[in-house]
Amino acid sequence: MSDTWLRRIAWGTSSLAIGVLIVSMAMLFLAPDHSSVNLLTIMVSSFVTLGAPILGAIIVTKQPRNRVGWLWIVYGLLIGLRSLGHGIYYYGGSQPSGYSALEYFLLWLTEPANLTVLACLILMILWFPNGQLPSRRWRFLYIWLFLALAVLYSSLFVPGPAWNGGANSGGIVIDNPYGWLPENAVLYYLGFPSFISLLLILFLAAISLISRYRSAGHQVRLQLRWFVVGGFFFIILLLLPVSVELSPDRFNYGIEYLLVLLGQAYVIPLYMAVGIAILRYRLYDIDVIIRKTLVYGLLSGLLALIYFGLVVLLQSVFDSVSGQQSPVAIVISTLVIAALFAPLRQRVQAVIDRRFFRKKYDAQQVLAQFAQTARDETDMDALQAELLRVVQETMQPEQAS
């Protein structure tokens, strides 16, 4: 498949994931009962996950065959499907029955989506940053991961009275609509070891980062350092809900809710780690795309705020003076925005370059100073020396003469 079609599929899938997340959040927001902590955590998790398909699509835009970018897209879609199942359940009043065949399927899909999300996180660690294993000796983890998931997926077809957490944890409570397999002892005894195997594979994937770090160059090591820092805070936030449930002292409801909801933001440190690697260490070589996205995204927000602020202010002035609104306010606001666009874009770009693209910003400053010197300097020897200094600072060649 060509790179162009891969990019189109990536953006289409990312748009689908974002749409599913937004629909699920709307259904959860419109649910009749908001007292369930599980409902709030799913809503926060859906909102936080909006960044995953966007980040993945940006990566795939530059490198269509990079596995890490596709993982972010799949992760966002899986969280969206999981949230959609919860949205259907809570929007319908948390009823254990009375759903259509499609609704039953989406409710059932929440549990395999959880397992696949865990597999995505394992592969994210194994593949970061270039989408490849550290070495061939780690390929046995693929087979191990496949076998563990095969057993756990098979257990999803065993009949049972409850699904996805059960009533005690505030999760979805339905009869398994796809309980086709008989309740045999084999799956019962293999389920728990398979889940422990996933945790052990996750641990070994973290160990693989050490192997990658030892054989990596300077730039990849910097990227891995940020990823490890993000992973540390990822674990801290992930364990927050557990610490609340296991704490012997009961918090008041405000603090308890806050800690549980913060626990759903566990993926944000990974966003930040990958983002810093992109902006500071040219990970995936898409810093130009990120730079333009930041500049024009912030610029659009500022211009929209100024525009609507001016329209409201001028309309209130016209209303107080003449007693009626006037289209002149819109015309004046449009002219002001047109006049502010260029200087405001330069200012926003300078701030972003100074914060995230320091080397590029410093090079621009050096070149601007040299332009000023070239206009004023009359001594050719001094100008030659200044030119060599500029070349050394901006291009950093091995030698210059």
Side-chain angles (χ1 to χ4, degrees):
M1 186 177 294
S2 66
D3 291 350
T4 301
W5 275 104
L6 288 175
R7 293 187 183 97
R8 292 175 181 175
I9 294 173
W11 280 105
T13 310
S14 299
S15 302
L16 175 63
I18 293 172
V20 173
L21 287 167
I22 292 175
V23 170
S24 65
M25 285 190 292
M27 297 184 70
L28 290 168
F29 181 77
L30 297 175
D33 183 15
H34 287 83
S35 60
S36 173
V37 177
N38 190 63
L39 182 150
L40 295 176
T41 56
I42 293 295
M43 187 183 299
V44 173
S45 176
S46 302
F47 178 76
V48 170
T49 308
L50 286 172
I54 297 175
L55 179 60
I58 292 174
I59 294 173
V60 174
T61 298
K62 188 62 179 180
Q63 294 192 2
R65 302 182 189 278
N66 191 296
R67 297 177 180 179
V68 175
W70 287 101
L71 268 182
W72 282 115
I73 297 174
V74 172
Y75 174 86
L77 183 59
L78 289 171
I79 296 294
L81 293 174
R82 185 192 69 175
S83 301
L84 185 60
H86 284 83
I88 293 172
Y89 182 72
Y90 288 108
Y91 184 77
S94 304
Q95 299 297 322
S97 60
Y99 299 103
S100 65
L102 177 60
E103 289 172 333
Y104 265 123
F105 173 74
L106 292 173
L107 290 170
W108 174 86
L109 197 62
T110 56
E111 193 65 23
N114 281 331
L115 292 175
T116 313
V117 163
L118 180 56
C120 285
L121 294 176
I122 293 173
L123 293 175
M124 182 75 66
I125 299 173
L126 284 172
W127 289 346
F128 187 86
N130 58 2
Q132 302 293 331
L133 290 173
S135 62
R136 291 186 176 182
R137 62 182 178 180
W138 293 95
R139 287 186 296 181
F140 75 95
L141 288 180
Y142 285 158
I143 301 175
W144 192 356
L145 179 62
F146 173 78
L147 293 176
L149 289 176
V151 173
L152 291 173
Y153 285 144
S154 299
S155 65
L156 300 176
F157 295 95
V158 175
W163 200 255
N164 201 339
N168 294 332
S169 60
I172 295 176
V173 182
I174 60 170
D175 288 331
N176 185 1
Y178 303 109
W180 299 325
L181 297 178
E183 297 186 33
N184 54 59
V186 176
L187 288 177
Y188 178 79
Y189 287 114
L190 290 180
F192 182 73
S194 298
F195 181 75
I196 296 299
S197 294
L198 288 182
L199 299 181
L200 184 57
I201 295 172
L202 182 61
F203 175 75
L204 293 175
I207 296 297
S208 71
L209 292 177
I210 300 176
S211 175
R212 187 187 297 275
Y213 185 87
R214 294 177 62 183
S215 61
H218 176 68
Q219 182 169 300
V220 175
R221 288 189 175 189
L222 292 175
Q223 296 166 356
L224 289 174
R225 288 174 188 173
W226 279 109
F227 190 75
V228 170
V229 171
F232 172 77
F233 288 102
F234 167 88
I235 295 173
I236 295 298
L237 290 176
L238 193 63
L239 294 178
L240 270 181
V242 178
S243 65
V244 172
E245 293 176 2
L246 298 181
S247 175
D249 301 321
R250 300 303 299 169
F251 296 103
N252 62 63
Y253 283 112
I255 297 177
E256 184 177 350
Y257 271 45
L258 178 62
L259 291 177
V260 171
L261 296 179
L262 278 177
Q264 299 305 310
Y266 56 84
V267 75
I268 290 181
L270 293 182
Y271 293 160
M272 296 178 64
V274 174
I276 292 174
I278 290 171
L279 296 174
R280 300 296 293 271
Y281 304 115
R282 299 180 63 83
L283 178 60
Y284 310 122
D285 198 28
I286 62 170
D287 53 329
V288 175
I289 298 176
I290 297 295
R291 180 171 176 259
K292 290 186 179 295
T293 302
L294 288 174
V295 170
Y296 288 102
L298 183 58
L299 179 63
S300 300
L302 290 175
L303 291 177
L305 184 62
I306 295 172
Y307 178 79
F308 289 111
L310 283 175
V311 169
V312 172
L313 177 62
L314 293 176
Q315 290 288 15
S316 63
V317 171
F318 282 116
D319 188 53
S320 61
V321 173
S322 61
Q324 60 182 0
Q325 296 183 350
S326 173
V328 178
I330 298 177
V331 175
I332 295 176
S333 300
T334 304
L335 294 175
V336 171
I337 292 300
L340 286 177
F341 179 83
L344 191 59
R345 184 190 65 82
Q346 294 175 357
R347 182 63 60 88
V348 170
Q349 183 168 310
V351 171
I352 290 176
D353 285 345
R354 188 165 58 248
R355 179 64 183 87
F356 295 106
F357 301 89
R358 191 71 206 185
K359 289 183 178 181
K360 181 178 179 65
Y361 176 78
D362 291 341
Q364 289 175 344
Q365 298 302 306
V366 171
L367 291 174
Q369 293 174 4
F370 175 74
Q372 181 67 32
T373 302
R375 285 195 299 267
D376 300 336
E377 185 62 60
T378 58
D379 187 351
M380 293 303 296
D381 292 335
L383 186 60
Q384 176 180 311
E386 180 66 14
L387 177 59
L388 288 175
R389 184 188 68 82
V390 169
V391 172
Q392 289 284 2
E393 289 190 16
T394 56
M395 303 182 68
Q396 297 180 355
E398 292 185 2
Q399 61 179 2
S401 61

